[in-house]
Amino acid sequence: MGIAAKRAIIYVRISRDHAGEGLGVARQEAECRALCDRKGWEVLEVFTDNDVSASSGKRRPAYEAALGAIEAGHADAFVAWAWDRVTRRPSELDHFVDVVERSKADVALVQAGDVDLATPAGRGFARILGVMARMEVEQKSVRQKSANRQKAMTGMRRKGGGNRIFGWGDDRLTLEPFEAEAIRNGTQAIIEGASVGSVAKAWDEDPRVNTSLGGRWYNASVRQVLLRESNAGLVKYDGQVVPDITGNWESIVSVEDFET
């Protein structure tokens, strides 16, 4: 009498799927299936979290269902492409290890081989993989913040295209004359003691200065426009104006008027 093949479930995940085509998870699934074939395991089901991060703390329904299948004894093996596809959060890793250890299930990763969670060495290896995955998330965050700061320091915050900003044309760099003049007049009026409401009324009555979406002006939206540091060509990074740096767009008012 032959030994029954292990029943495996496959879990695949990708953080961002910009095209919405699921190609990343499809590639992971193909390699996971090939691994199961080599081991002679029967694939019962594939659980997919597409466009869902493993480090954000948000729920991953497919991951929860996959782990639930292991915990309930419906499957004997958990297969994934790499450890960072499973989890990048230490607390979640501990729960995963506990569930798999209690269920006596196998764990196999395309990129790291088998992980024997029944032994202290195997559990230690899994935790090392989890720590490395978490470190990569943190390093990515540091790199992104560094890149953002570099953009701010060079003043190259804007490029052509994208949503139009009130006061500038479609290229977001050169001024839209009527709107820019309205911002200058509004700034000067506030300096001279006028209310935001009076500026909103003046803008509403001028058909040349509708909002960039064509709507009406309200006190809150006018205040938001007049308080933009970018009106004076100032660059912000992490909520603060970067000193001695000028943006690459045309400014509308002077720094002195803006800060008055």
Side-chain angles (χ1 to χ4, degrees), residues 83-102:
W83 198 253
D84 65 356
R85 301 300 89 192
V86 180
T87 181
R88 288 176 170 175
R89 303 173 65 225
S91 60
E92 197 172 60
L93 171 60
D94 287 340
H95 177 62
F96 179 88
V97 170
D98 289 344
V99 170
V100 171
E101 187 180 8
R102 287 198 310 269

Side-chain angles (χ1 to χ4, degrees), residues 201-219:
K201 184 174 184 296
W203 287 9
D204 245 353
E205 292 174 351
D206 189 340
R208 300 170 300 177
V209 292
N210 287 333
T211 69
S212 55
L213 296 178
R216 290 191 57 190
W217 287 105
Y218 298 94
N219 290 7

Side-chain angles (χ1 to χ4, degrees), residues 187-259:
T187 300
Q188 188 60 40
I190 296 297
I191 291 173
E192 294 174 357
S195 67
V196 173
S198 65
V199 175
K201 184 174 184 296
W203 287 9
D204 245 353
E205 292 174 351
D206 189 340
R208 300 170 300 177
V209 292
N210 287 333
T211 69
S212 55
L213 296 178
R216 290 191 57 190
W217 287 105
Y218 298 94
N219 290 7
S221 54
V222 170
R223 183 179 293 107
Q224 184 179 38
V225 167
L226 295 180
L227 291 178
R228 295 181 313 200
E229 289 84 355
S230 57
N231 293 344
L234 300 174
V235 177
K236 286 182 70 175
Y237 172 73
D238 201 20
Q240 301 293 324
V241 172
V242 181
D244 304 320
I245 297 294
T246 303
N248 67 327
W249 55 90
E250 293 185 52
S251 59
I252 297 174
V253 300
S254 68
V255 174
E256 292 74 19
D257 282 350
F258 176 77
E259 294 180 343

Side-chain angles (χ1 to χ4, degrees), residues 4-257:
K6 283 190 178 292
R7 303 162 301 162
I9 56 102
I10 291 173
Y11 175 70
V12 294
R13 181 193 64 79
I14 192 169
S15 298
R16 293 177 181 172
D17 181 12
H18 295 296
E21 296 174 347
L23 298 180
V25 291
R27 285 190 290 266
Q28 291 176 41
E29 180 182 341
E31 293 194 38
C32 288
R33 284 187 176 277
L35 176 60
C36 290
D37 285 344
R38 291 194 297 272
K39 289 179 169 295
W41 292 353
E42 176 191 1
V43 176
L44 296 182
E45 191 171 353
V46 177
F47 296 85
T48 303
D49 280 318
N50 194 33
D51 209 19
V52 180
S53 171
S55 57
S56 65
K58 295 180 179 179
R59 288 192 60 190
R60 292 183 288 150
Y63 171 78
E64 293 173 6
L67 202 56
I70 293 293
E71 192 166 24
H74 299 322
D76 311 306
F78 186 103
V79 181
W81 188 76
W83 198 253
D84 65 356
R85 301 300 89 192
V86 180
T87 181
R88 288 176 170 175
R89 303 173 65 225
S91 60
E92 197 172 60
L93 171 60
D94 287 340
H95 177 62
F96 179 88
V97 170
D98 289 344
V99 170
V100 171
E101 187 180 8
R102 287 198 310 269
S103 305
K104 296 182 172 27
D106 287 355
V107 176
L109 308 173
V110 173
Q111 294 294 302
D114 293 352
V115 181
D116 186 0
L117 298 182
T119 67
R123 293 191 292 273
F125 179 56
R127 290 188 170 93
I128 289 172
L129 291 176
V131 168
M132 295 300 292
R134 183 65 186 182
M135 184 176 69
E136 175 56 29
V137 170
E138 293 173 355
Q139 287 179 330
K140 183 178 180 181
S141 175
V142 169
R143 290 194 297 268
Q144 185 61 56
K145 288 180 179 178
S146 177
N148 290 342
R149 179 171 178 79
Q150 182 63 30
K151 287 181 182 179
M153 294 301 289
T154 57
M156 298 299 290
R157 190 175 57 167
R158 288 186 189 167
K159 296 180 180 179
N163 294 331
R164 193 174 78 79
I165 303 171
F166 182 79
W168 288 270
D170 290 334
D171 63 1
R172 306 170 78 231
L173 301 172
T174 56
L175 300 181
E176 201 292 323
F178 294 120
E179 295 177 3
E181 186 63 25
I183 291 173
R184 288 192 200 98
N185 292 340
T187 300
Q188 188 60 40
I190 296 297
I191 291 173
E192 294 174 357
S195 67
V196 173
S198 65
V199 175
K201 184 174 184 296
W203 287 9
D204 245 353
E205 292 174 351
D206 189 340
R208 300 170 300 177
V209 292
N210 287 333
T211 69
S212 55
L213 296 178
R216 290 191 57 190
W217 287 105
Y218 298 94
N219 290 7
S221 54
V222 170
R223 183 179 293 107
Q224 184 179 38
V225 167
L226 295 180
L227 291 178
R228 295 181 313 200
E229 289 84 355
S230 57
N231 293 344
L234 300 174
V235 177
K236 286 182 70 175
Y237 172 73
D238 201 20
Q240 301 293 324
V241 172
V242 181
D244 304 320
I245 297 294
T246 303
N248 67 327
W249 55 90
E250 293 185 52
S251 59
I252 297 174
V253 300
S254 68
V255 174
E256 292 74 19
D257 282 350

